[in-house]
Structures are given as C-alpha cells and as structure tokens.
DNA sequence: TGCGAGTGGTGATATTATAACATCCGTGAT
DNA sequence: ATCACGGATGTTATAATATCACCACTCGCA
C-alpha cells in the first residue's frame, strides 16, 4: 500500500465513521494505520509492540478495544484461522467478506457477494459467515 | 448422538486409522469419544478437565497432540472462529468441510462439496478453506 | 454547575497453545 | 537376548492470545 493510498484510506475511514456518528480517535486511527500499512495479517501483540514507542505505552485492552471498534465499523477484518487482522478498503458494515490468503507471502485479497451455500441444512438461517481460503497467490505459484 | 451410534462411530474411526497405518490409541480414542459425545463444539481445556479423573491426569500437550492426530485423520474439525472442536462422522482426509453452527443451541451440521468461489483472485490456488456459518438452526428459529 | 455516555489507562487474570526434554514401549535387526 | 530406533506419551515450563474490573478523563448537555 503506497503512502498516498494509505492517506486516502484513512480519510475515507474518517468520513465513514463520521457518517455513522462515531469517532475515529487517535488510538483507533493509529491502529488502523498500522493494519493498513502491513502487507500481511497483523497480530494484536505486534500492534501492541508498534504502539509502545508512541505517546502512551499501550496495554492489551487498548489494542483490542480499537480492533473491536474497527471491526464493527467494517474497517478491519479478523482472520479467524490466524488470530490476526487485515485492513479493509471497502468499509462494508456486514462482516461477510471472503478472504484469500497466500501462505507464502501473506498477501490477502478480499472478495464479496459469494452465493448462498448450496447444501444448507433445512431451515438454517445464516447470520454471519467466516470464509477464509489459504493457498498460493499468482506471484508465489511455483 | 446415541450410545449406539457413538460406539459405531468409534469402531469406524478405529478401522479408518488402521487403513491409514495409524493407531487410535487409548488417549486419542478417549478424546474422540468426548468430542463426539458433546452436542456442541468442545474447548481443548474442557477436554483436559474431562480427562482429569481418568487413569492419568492429562496435561495440555496430551490433549493438543490427540486433537492434532484426530484432525489429520479427518475425525475431528476445528471451528476456527470458536477455538473449539467438533467430531466428524464422515472421516474425510481433506479438511474441506463447510460447517453450520447454531449460535443458540451450539449444534453443528457439516456439509461438503461447496463449489469453488466465483470471484477468486486471478491465479490463486486454494490449498485449504475455512468455511463456518453462524446463525440459527431450524429448531431455534423464533 | 452537575450529570452521563463514551473513551481510554492500568493491573491483574483468564484462555488457548507450544517448546523442550525425559520416558516408555513395540518392532525388527544383530 | 539385546540393542537401536521411531512413535507415542509424560512432564515442566512458558508463550501467545484475550478479557475483566476498576478508575480517570472529557465532552456535550440539562
Ligand atoms: Zn472488507
Ligand atoms: Zn503470495
Ligand atoms: Zn468432516
Ligand atoms: Zn439451534
């Protein structure tokens, strides 16, 4: 992610929150920045480390609270199978993203609009779906 | 799961392992039994508790090693979003199961054969997919 | 001025998972 | 029989992930 597109993404996030009547506070903004800067899913405790040198040494609850907020706002997704977090450039409120994660380089691509499952149990109503595909991206194929 | 079907499942697991040249040892068998008995995804440390009264008080590595074995054998799946484990009645080696988990009663239904994603990034090759749907089963719908 | 909601700081703790090394046990070669 | 080996398990400690409980600050507003 280039410096310019990072700045644009942060501005977009700012107005996205404003539109929801919520505030992208300095801590939240800094965490989002760190997640967007990374070129792979980021661990919560890596964020913690990265925040240490800052104005206040962050403790775990600070980071997790920021991540919770950003996830609720649709600005960050959790990769459940990795216990790690990725930035989202789409800012969609529904958590229904489909992630393609390269096991070699860590790059993550996000897609949307997957059709409903074909073999759903009778009468089941889906509220939230976790879909994570692991494999090799075009750059890393042997 | 009834007593009878539990016994059948354990026997099937036994021969499934034998066919792979592997052994369903007492610890592994006991862990599988506990996972199959449960009517919801089970946490590793709940298994640990359940094994305490047994012949030897189990320690974490014992449980995680048994779970690793059972997952590799396709007898147990991990629900990544819950850090919990469910038994599998299909004993398929590929980990590609699609899970439907009821957030009310905890019941889990497993399906297979989901079609490849429609919007896959160009050139991406999938090795392993995590697909977990959370919602409400037919019994728990309001 | 005096709330009250939202936010973040802080210390402690809970939960989930693995590393590192020792021991035991069955199997097959010598 | 005995030895060597690999697979499985036991044991101790620790790493990695996440939450609780409580307090302090701030801002908008009655
Ligand atoms: Zn997204
Ligand atoms: Zn790659
Ligand atoms: Zn299965
Ligand atoms: Zn249900």
């Amino acid at each position: 992610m280039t410096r310019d597109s990072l700045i644009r993404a942060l501005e977009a996030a700012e107005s996205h929150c404003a539109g929801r009547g919520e505030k992208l506070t300095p801590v939240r903004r800094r965490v989002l920045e760190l997640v967007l800067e990374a070129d792979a899913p980021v661990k919560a405790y890596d964020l913690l480390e990265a925040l240490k040198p800052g104005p206040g040494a962050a403790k775990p609850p600070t980071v997790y609270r920021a991540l919770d907020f950003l996830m609720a706002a649709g600005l960050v997704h959790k990769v459940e199978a990795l216990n790690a977090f990725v930035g989202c450039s789409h800012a969609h409120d529904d958590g229904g993203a489909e992630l393609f994660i390269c096991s070699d380089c860590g790059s993550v691509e996000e897609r949307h609009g997957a059709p409903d499952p074909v073999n759903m149990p009778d009468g089941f109503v889906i509220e939230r779906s976790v879909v994570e595909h692991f494999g090799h991206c075009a750059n890393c194929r042997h």
Side-chain angles (χ1 to χ4, degrees), chain A residues 40-111:
Chain A
V42 195
K43 308 289 233 163
Y45 275 70
D46 290 343
L47 294 171
L48 201 48
E49 281 306 308
L51 289 173
K52 290 277 196 219
K59 301 280 171 52
T62 301
V63 169
Y64 282 103
R65 283 194 285 232
L67 287 170
D68 284 346
F69 172 89
L70 294 169
M71 283 190 287
L75 295 166
V76 157
H77 302 302
K78 180 171 188 181
V79 185
E80 297 287 354
L82 297 179
N83 295 318
F85 302 84
V86 294
C88 171
S89 27
H90 308 80
H92 48 107
D93 293 21
D94 64 323
E98 192 168 2
L99 301 178
F100 296 82
I101 301 130
C102 178
S103 303
D104 296 320
C105 67
S107 72
V108 180
E109 288 285 329
E110 180 173 343
R111 295 288 182 274

Side-chain angles (χ1 to χ4, degrees), chain A residues 13-24:
Chain A
E14 196 98 46
S15 62
H16 174 70
C17 290
R20 296 161 46 99
E22 290 172 333
K23 281 181 289 193
L24 191 64

